[in-house]
Amino acid sequence: MEKELIIQKLIDKIKGQFESDSSGHDWFHIERVWQLAKQIAIKEQANVFVTELGALLHDIADHKFVENFEEESINRTNQYLRDLGVDQEIIDQVIHIVLHCSFKGGVEENKMKSIEGRIVQDADKLDAIGAIGIARTFAFGGKFGSILYDPNVPPITHKTLTSYQKNRTHTINHFYEKLLLLKDLMHTETAKTIAAERHQFMLEFLDHFYKEWKAEI
Ligand code: ADP
Ligand code: NI
């Protein structure tokens, strides 16, 4: 099967799984990450097909919501791609991406070995910053019952994954524990350039937010 047709068929298969998610992992997140990753892969001269497959499947089993995340990731990736006749050698590269993509508080060593996987990580992180990143953050905060902000609770960062997962404060804190750290975690030059602009926009957003919070006119 032609690569383009495989991508299209994979999209048809997975779209339904994401459509109703409101935690920031809806189909449109996957679509944006896929589009970004594809462009970065072309610029960085990586394997575009492997990158595209990895991007489309990177959230196929989320470690926050799926108990046996590793087993599920491997099974689902194998199943989707074998059905489409993809070579096992390519599938194994995609499994590596799916298993090691997540941010997990940014405190653990990055186990992603391939350039294609690092590009998917860059694209996923780019979708967590800038205007879209801000929107997703407040959507996530609302869904999990966090308040917007509390000026009496100073920003905290985390040294361990457990601390990141357990210590939820207000949603503004998510900028300090994650969003503002992401630009320095980009792997590729292409992503670093895009991230710099999105980062600047978040700083401006926070400026405005605090001004309006204090009812400064
Ligand atoms: P990723 O897809 O990068 O692994 P996550 O699953 O951690 O991202 O989160 C999905 C979206 O929700 C992201 O935009 C992320 O920044 C946001 N998010 C994650 N945790 C929180 C939180 N505690 N408060 C607010 N937003 C969050
Ligand atoms: Ni994602």
Side-chain angles (χ1 to χ4, degrees):
M1 218 188 296
E2 285 282 327
K3 286 176 184 163
E4 244 172 71
L5 190 58
I6 293 176
I7 298 289
Q8 203 45 56
K9 288 196 177 231
L10 180 61
I11 290 172
D12 293 344
K13 277 175 181 239
I14 61 172
K15 223 173 171 174
Q17 185 179 328
F18 292 103
E19 227 128 36
S20 61
D21 184 294
S22 63
S23 69
H25 286 122
D26 56 4
W27 160 249
F28 293 115
H29 163 67
I30 309 299
E31 188 176 46
R32 290 189 301 268
V33 171
W34 165 51
Q35 292 292 342
L36 271 171
K38 187 176 173 180
Q39 294 175 72
I40 298 172
I42 293 168
K43 287 213 162 147
E44 302 283 330
Q45 296 178 332
N47 184 321
V48 179
F49 185 52
V50 170
T51 308
E52 284 187 82
L53 294 176
L56 286 169
L57 291 170
H58 83 276
D59 277 332
I60 203 70
D62 190 319
H63 67 96
K64 289 195 295 308
F65 309 112
V66 178
E67 240 173 62
N68 43 354
F69 154 77
E70 286 201 2
E71 200 185 324
E72 277 299 314
S73 300
I74 295 169
N75 288 346
R76 291 183 199 182
T77 306
N78 266 325
Q79 191 203 325
Y80 283 131
L81 298 184
R82 281 178 189 162
D83 283 356
L84 294 169
V86 177
D87 289 349
Q88 191 62 43
E89 188 243 333
I90 301 267
I91 298 180
D92 290 341
Q93 292 183 51
V94 177
I95 288 175
H96 177 75
I97 296 178
V98 176
L99 286 179
H100 302 299
C101 192
S102 180
F103 173 77
K104 300 219 183 100
V107 288
E108 296 195 332
E109 179 205 352
N110 187 13
K111 300 207 176 80
M112 190 74 86
K113 298 286 175 250
S114 64
I115 176 67
E116 290 76 17
R118 287 174 173 243
I119 288 172
V120 175
Q121 284 183 317
D122 279 0
D124 197 26
K125 289 198 194 87
L126 284 173
D127 201 52
I129 60 176
I132 297 272
I134 295 171
R136 290 178 75 206
T137 296
F138 286 101
F140 186 106
K143 181 169 165 124
F144 292 98
S146 306
I147 58 166
L148 293 182
Y149 176 51
D150 181 345
N152 300 312
V153 180
I156 48 165
T157 53
H158 307 282
K159 294 204 163 47
T160 65
L161 177 58
T162 322
S163 164
Y164 174 71
Q165 287 170 334
K166 294 274 176 307
N167 297 305
R168 283 218 179 112
T169 60
H170 48 78
T171 302
I172 284 291
N173 192 62
H174 194 60
F175 286 80
Y176 299 93
E177 68 183 4
K178 178 175 175 183
L179 308 188
L180 295 173
L181 311 177
L182 292 180
K183 80 166 176 24
D184 293 331
L185 298 175
M186 298 293 162
H187 304 297
T188 61
E189 290 308 313
T190 312
K192 281 178 196 170
T193 307
I194 306 168
E197 194 188 327
R198 294 187 183 195
H199 184 85
Q200 189 53 36
F201 182 73
M202 292 193 295
L203 294 179
E204 282 164 32
F205 169 81
L206 286 172
D207 247 20
H208 282 264
F209 187 95
Y210 294 131
K211 266 194 195 142
E212 292 177 22
W213 190 272
K214 288 184 269 176
E216 271 178 30
I217 51 174

